[in-house]
């Protein structure tokens, strides 16, 4: 028979569970931790004291209390002293942030990414952003690692970007290239750099602390030129065998439709992505997020061509979402990226179409939402990749 977990294993597990709760929920009283984690008061006190000694949390009396007697200490994540770097490579921009424990963005940088930019040209400004942000790091602060979110298919084992057609990359070792670039910067911290898909990491944090908090079955749709998906089932990410799960933009919904950048024809993103909307609106010569927002704004102002374009794209969105609802039976579907803006003006069309497609038992509880964390979801999600090791075992 296998022996049960040792006292030390239980202790480390409890430390990680407590730290993760405070990381996600923010300032929490010892009394609430006792209730939520199902541990006794003395155990909670021992754990919080140990985490405080490790510099991961602080404990202070509440600022205000209406109860008689000694108030329960409030445990807060040490956001300013424990941090990760978060990076995002998107179709039209490069972003970087320093994110503190607790998911708080402490510093950020951003620059345009010209379409067609290759990996070597993308990693240089990102490394430069980290070098700049280091100057504001408090003395003695603890760096736990870095996370990178990419708009493409990422191999889980080594962070290789296998295919990112919307940014023009195939078989690119982006994480390795960025780590190498960082290593040439004098004094730069080069810790573990974990790479993930932008929709996948956004789904993760919208589930833990955003629009889908409290729901364990969620689909997050991220749109720009292409469409990606992050899927949460039973409270866990669905990433597939190699990490490529969630490529919903490449499900074929119109076999006689337009050619797709992936090499197939009639993929969902050819009907609902940036190019589709702009072409339908008679603005095929334009590109980028601002162009999409321009169509949405025109539709809201009564422009007939823009309204027709939004309705048609909304119809295709509803068709695809209806199919996903039948497959995954989610509680919530979140529209991120440019799909957020389209959803806001085509919600009725999308709901009507998905109601025609989705089975009543699957659709009756589904809520359609926009991201609570907005565009920060990708950065906070990238940071989560780096924080995961710490949260799993705070004393490593």
């Amino acid at each position: 028979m296998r022996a049960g977990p040792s006292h030390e294993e239980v202790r480390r597990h409890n430390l990680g569970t407590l730290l993760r709760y405070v990381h996600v929920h923010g300032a929490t009283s010892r009394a609430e931790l006792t209730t939520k984690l199902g541990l006794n008061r003395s155990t909670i006190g021992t754990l919080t004291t140990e985490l405080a000694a490790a510099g991961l949390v602080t404990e202070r009396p509440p600022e205000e209390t209406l109860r008689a007697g000694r108030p329960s200490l409030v445990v807060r994540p040490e956001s300013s002293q424990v941090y990760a770097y978060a990076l995002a490579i998107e179709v039209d921009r490069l972003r970087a942030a320093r994110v503190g424990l607790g998911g708080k963005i402490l510093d950020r940088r951003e620059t345009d990414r010209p379409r067609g930019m290759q990996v070597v040209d993308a990693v240089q400004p990102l490394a430069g952003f980290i070098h700049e942000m280091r100057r504001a790091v408090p003395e003695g602060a603890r760096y736990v690692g870095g996370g990178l979110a990419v708009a493409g298919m990422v191999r889980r084992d080594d962070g290789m970007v296998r295919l990112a057609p919307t940014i023009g990359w195939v078989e690119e070792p982006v994480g390795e290239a960025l780590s190498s670039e960082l290593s040439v910067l004098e004094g730069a911290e080069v810790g573990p750099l974990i790479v993930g898909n932008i929709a996948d990491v956004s789904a993760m944090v919208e589930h833990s602390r955003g629009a889908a908090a409290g729901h364990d079955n969620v689909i997050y749709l991220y749109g720009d030129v292409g469409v990606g998906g992050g899927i949460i089932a039973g409270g866990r990410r669905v990433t597939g065998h190699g990490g490529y799960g969630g490529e919903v933009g490449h499900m074929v919904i119109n076999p006689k439709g337009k050619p797709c950048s992936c090499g197939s024809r009639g993929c969902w993103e050819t009907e609902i992505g940036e190019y589709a909307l702009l072409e339908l609106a008679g603005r095929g010569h334009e590109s980028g997020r601002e162009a999409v927002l321009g169509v949405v704004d025109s539709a809201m102002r009564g422009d007939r061509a823009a309204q027709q374009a939004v309705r048609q794209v909304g119809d295709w969105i509803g068709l695809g979402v209806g199919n996903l609802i039948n497959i995954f039976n989610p509680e919530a579907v979140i529209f991120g990226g440019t799909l957020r803006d389209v959803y806001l003006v085509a919600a009725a069309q999308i709901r009507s179409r998905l109601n025609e497609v989705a089975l009543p038992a699957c659709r009756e509880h589904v809520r359609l939402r926009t991201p609570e964390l907005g565009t920060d979801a990708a950065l906070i999600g990238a940071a989560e990749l780096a924080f995961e090791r710490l949260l799993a075992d705070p004393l490593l």
Side-chain angles (χ1 to χ4, degrees):
M1 291 180 61
R2 182 183 182 277
S6 67
H7 174 75
E8 177 64 15
E9 288 172 330
V10 171
R11 171 175 154 273
R12 285 179 176 267
H13 169 77
N14 287 340
L15 283 167
T17 300
L18 194 155
L19 183 61
R20 188 183 297 274
Y21 190 92
V22 174
H23 170 66
V24 171
H25 297 279
T28 309
S29 69
R30 280 191 181 186
E32 182 180 340
L33 289 170
T34 300
T35 301
K36 295 294 185 181
L37 303 186
L39 299 172
N40 61 49
R41 291 170 58 188
S42 62
T43 299
I44 290 294
T46 299
L47 294 173
T48 56
T49 298
E50 190 166 356
L51 290 173
L56 298 172
V57 302
T58 59
E59 293 187 281
R60 293 194 295 271
E63 296 179 0
E64 295 182 5
T65 180
L66 300 178
R67 293 184 177 182
R70 184 178 180 181
S72 177
L73 292 176
V74 175
V75 184
R76 293 175 171 83
E78 268 284 28
S79 299
S80 63
Q81 293 294 319
V82 183
Y83 69 96
Y85 287 121
L87 308 164
I89 298 177
E90 302 168 50
V91 172
D92 290 324
R93 60 183 176 177
L94 303 171
R95 294 191 290 157
R98 184 165 62 89
V99 182
L101 187 66
K104 181 179 181 180
I105 294 182
L106 305 170
D107 196 355
R108 68 171 78 220
R109 301 285 191 280
E110 179 177 328
T111 189
D112 292 338
R113 177 191 173 274
R115 296 191 179 182
M117 174 184 278
Q118 296 306 303
V119 171
V120 65
D121 299 314
V123 299
Q124 290 176 350
L126 289 174
F129 286 156
I130 291 178
H131 193 55
E132 291 174 10
M133 289 188 290
R134 284 186 67 253
R135 298 169 186 164
V137 175
E139 185 176 352
R142 179 178 174 182
Y143 167 67
V144 301
L148 170 63
V150 183
M153 297 176 65
V154 178
R155 186 162 63 201
R156 179 172 48 234
D157 291 344
D158 60 4
M160 172 75 75
V161 176
R162 296 294 305 278
L163 177 66
T166 59
I167 56 179
W169 295 352
V170 179
E171 301 291 344
E172 291 286 1
V174 182
E176 180 182 316
L178 183 54
S179 294
S180 296
E181 186 67 27
L182 282 169
S183 69
V184 304
L185 295 176
E186 182 181 355
E189 300 120 329
V190 184
L193 182 66
I194 304 172
V195 186
N197 172 271
I198 199 166
D200 188 40
V201 302
S202 297
M204 177 171 59
V205 293
E206 286 291 344
H207 167 245
S208 64
R209 63 174 79 235
H215 300 300
D216 281 343
N217 297 280
V218 180
I219 297 174
Y220 180 98
L221 299 174
Y222 175 83
D224 47 38
V225 173
V227 176
I231 300 165
I232 306 291
R236 308 184 73 171
R237 287 187 291 159
V238 177
T239 57
H241 171 66
Y244 313 127
E247 289 297 325
V248 297
H250 296 289
M251 62 178 180
V252 176
I253 62 171
N254 185 5
K256 297 182 179 179
K258 307 178 188 72
C260 180
S261 59
C262 73
S264 187
R265 178 180 289 274
C267 292
W268 194 26
E269 68 180 43
T270 66
E271 302 290 355
I272 70 171
E274 171 191 310
Y275 294 148
L277 179 68
L278 294 175
E279 185 177 336
L280 288 168
R283 306 183 188 189
H285 59 287
E286 300 180 22
S287 64
R289 179 178 175 81
E290 292 304 316
V292 171
L293 293 177
V295 173
V296 170
D297 182 66
S298 294
M300 295 176 66
R301 293 173 180 273
D303 182 283
R304 290 189 178 181
Q307 288 177 335
Q308 178 58 32
V310 168
R311 277 196 297 269
Q312 186 165 329
V313 167
D315 191 63
W316 282 110
I317 292 174
L319 175 64
V321 169
N323 282 320
L324 293 173
I325 287 173
N326 286 340
I327 297 169
F328 293 104
N329 188 203
E331 299 157 81
V333 178
I334 302 173
F335 298 92
T338 53
L339 288 180
R340 170 194 178 276
D341 305 294
V342 176
Y343 168 73
L344 290 175
V345 293
Q349 182 74 25
I350 292 170
R351 174 62 79 170
S352 175
R353 188 69 165 118
L354 78 81
N355 283 345
E356 296 174 3
V357 175
L359 297 168
C362 294
R363 73 171 188 253
E364 57 192 7
H365 298 300
V366 175
R367 298 181 179 181
L368 306 183
R369 295 179 170 176
T370 56
E372 188 172 308
L373 301 176
T375 59
D376 284 343
L379 290 173
I380 298 173
E384 288 297 296
L385 298 176
F387 280 124
E388 184 55 40
R389 183 168 175 267
L390 173 69
L391 298 174
D393 191 345
L395 300 186
L396 276 179

